[in-house]
Amino acid sequence: MIGVLFSGFFFFEGFDFGVGMSVRTLAHDEGERDQIVETIGPVWDGNEVWLLTAGGAMFASFPYWYASLFSGFYLILFIILFGLIIRGVSFEFRSHMPKERKQLWNWTLTIGSFIVPFFFGVLFISMVQGMPMDADHNMMATFTDYINLYSIVGGVALTLLCYLHGLNYIALRTEGAIRYRAKNYAKFLYGVLYVGLVIFAILMYFKTDFFQNNFAVTLALLAVIVLLTVIANVSVFRDKELIALIASGFTLIALVALLFSGLFPRVLISSIPGNDLLIENASSSPYTLKIMSYISLTILPFVLAYTAWTYYIFRKRIKHPHAVGVEQ
């Protein structure tokens, strides 16, 4: 269930991040920036609830995992929180600012949208590489345990995936020049992503034990990620915008599945042999897990239904009155 919650977060918030990055990298004028932001205006804050729910579920169901993760990765999570805060502030402040004073909040929106997926990528890669933990599962990590070649590649890869997810969303939700420009950017960046995925897979083979412990599952999920990437790429060229968005979203879900399947039966990997934090050692009592499962399975269908209804209501393409004309 926690994996489902993180999957929902990256599927929905992933294109939020991509849209935020596009404010300063895709739009050419303030009219187009307003047009881009308007695509996620009604939904961006709701998308962040998936992360809050996942964190709350970890706290209630796996308190020892929560304690080790949030203390060991305190600074990285603080940076992620900082990115989320400046994003949220920028949405509200830029909408009340005159045109000449919007630039600061455009930059905070873009920078915050880059920060969050990059450092989530760093966090996840650090988790799967293994961190120095003692027998009480307290981390004793140094700077290079967090920031190294593999974690940087992971951060860049997740950021690029979110950016492409956002471009696909913009292409689906807008009219005019910005729509065609988003497609053109995506056509180029998918070629870059293929190279990044190859580097990511090679480093995973040498830097983690995923292939040794779960070779078939890991290989299958990597194949699914590549297949979904190809589907999204082909859909962009064929102007199948909804299929491209769904495929890029499920690519992020497949990455979450890869992370959780590779960790199993652990929740945190220690670089010191014998100190891994296992699911059975990190969880609450069976009764608590049972109650949490019942609550989650009862509420989740309503959340999904409400989310689907929200996106249905705001399904019309956005055409800003001040956006420039169509450019192929």
Side-chain angles (χ1 to χ4, degrees):
M1 290 303 301
I2 291 174
V4 169
L5 293 171
F6 273 109
S7 296
F9 171 71
F10 282 106
F11 187 98
F12 293 105
E13 190 72 354
F15 64 70
D16 267 9
F17 296 142
V19 170
M21 296 179 218
S22 300
V23 168
R24 292 300 311 183
T25 60
L26 183 69
H28 286 176
D29 58 34
E30 204 60 45
E32 289 186 343
R33 294 185 187 103
D34 289 340
Q35 183 185 15
I36 288 175
V37 172
E38 194 174 342
T39 63
I40 58 173
V43 297
W44 70 268
D45 47 355
N47 292 341
E48 291 185 354
V49 174
W50 289 89
L51 179 63
L52 299 175
T53 309
M58 288 175 62
F59 175 77
S61 303
F62 297 93
Y64 296 102
W65 182 18
Y66 180 93
S68 295
L69 181 69
F70 276 68
S71 60
F73 291 97
Y74 181 84
L75 290 178
I76 289 180
L77 289 168
F78 184 85
I79 294 171
I80 290 172
L81 180 61
F82 172 76
L84 290 171
I85 289 172
I86 63 174
R87 284 185 80 249
V89 168
S90 65
F91 281 113
E92 302 300 330
F93 276 48
R94 75 178 301 281
S95 65
H96 297 287
M97 292 290 172
K99 182 178 178 180
E100 63 274 8
R101 296 177 61 187
K102 282 187 176 182
Q103 294 305 313
L104 170 63
W105 306 110
N106 289 332
W107 277 110
T108 55
L109 176 56
T110 300
I111 293 171
S113 298
F114 272 108
I115 286 174
V116 179
F118 177 80
F119 280 96
F120 260 121
V122 169
L123 186 151
F124 290 147
I125 295 302
S126 300
M127 286 175 59
V128 303
Q129 280 189 113
M131 302 294 284
M133 292 193 301
D134 60 22
D136 295 323
H137 306 115
N138 297 311
M139 288 190 192
M140 305 167 292
T142 61
F143 178 80
T144 54
D145 291 313
Y146 298 107
I147 306 298
N148 49 64
L149 175 62
Y150 190 23
S151 66
I152 291 174
V153 169
V156 171
L158 185 56
T159 304
L160 182 56
L161 280 168
C162 289
Y163 187 50
L164 282 164
H165 195 31
L167 291 176
N168 292 334
Y169 182 77
I170 291 170
L172 179 66
R173 295 281 285 110
T174 60
E175 294 182 0
I178 204 72
R179 174 188 177 191
Y180 296 99
R181 200 177 306 132
K183 292 180 183 180
N184 290 334
Y185 274 44
K187 290 174 184 177
F188 170 76
L189 288 175
Y190 269 110
V192 178
L193 180 61
Y194 291 130
V195 177
L197 288 177
V198 170
I199 297 172
F200 177 80
I202 292 172
L203 289 172
M204 174 175 284
Y205 180 83
F206 288 104
K207 295 290 187 178
T208 74
D209 60 4
F210 282 21
F211 283 95
Q212 289 79 10
N213 290 347
N214 302 287
F215 179 82
V217 175
T218 300
L219 190 63
L221 285 171
L222 285 173
V224 168
I225 290 169
V226 172
L227 177 62
L228 289 168
T229 303
V230 171
I231 292 173
N233 192 2
V234 172
S235 299
V236 170
F237 277 94
R238 294 186 176 181
D239 294 328
K240 304 292 185 181
E241 296 158 351
L242 180 59
I243 296 175
L245 177 67
I246 293 173
S248 60
F250 274 91
T251 304
L252 290 164
I253 292 176
L255 277 175
V256 175
L258 180 64
L259 171 69
F260 276 78
S261 65
L263 285 174
F264 186 84
R266 306 159 296 187
V267 288
L268 283 177
I269 300 174
S270 174
S271 57
I272 302 173
N275 290 344
D276 293 343
L277 181 59
L278 306 178
I279 291 174
E280 60 180 347
N281 299 331
S283 66
S284 297
S285 67
Y287 179 75
T288 301
L289 295 178
K290 178 190 263 188
I291 295 299
M292 288 292 296
S293 297
Y294 286 152
I295 293 174
S296 300
L297 291 171
T298 301
I299 295 176
L300 188 60
F302 292 99
V303 174
L304 292 173
Y306 173 78
T307 302
W309 179 78
T310 302
Y311 281 94
Y312 176 77
I313 291 297
F314 296 103
R315 66 189 182 279
K316 291 183 65 176
R317 291 183 182 271
I318 305 298
K319 183 177 181 180
H320 196 278
H322 302 298
V324 296
V326 174
E327 299 171 4
Q328 294 291 347

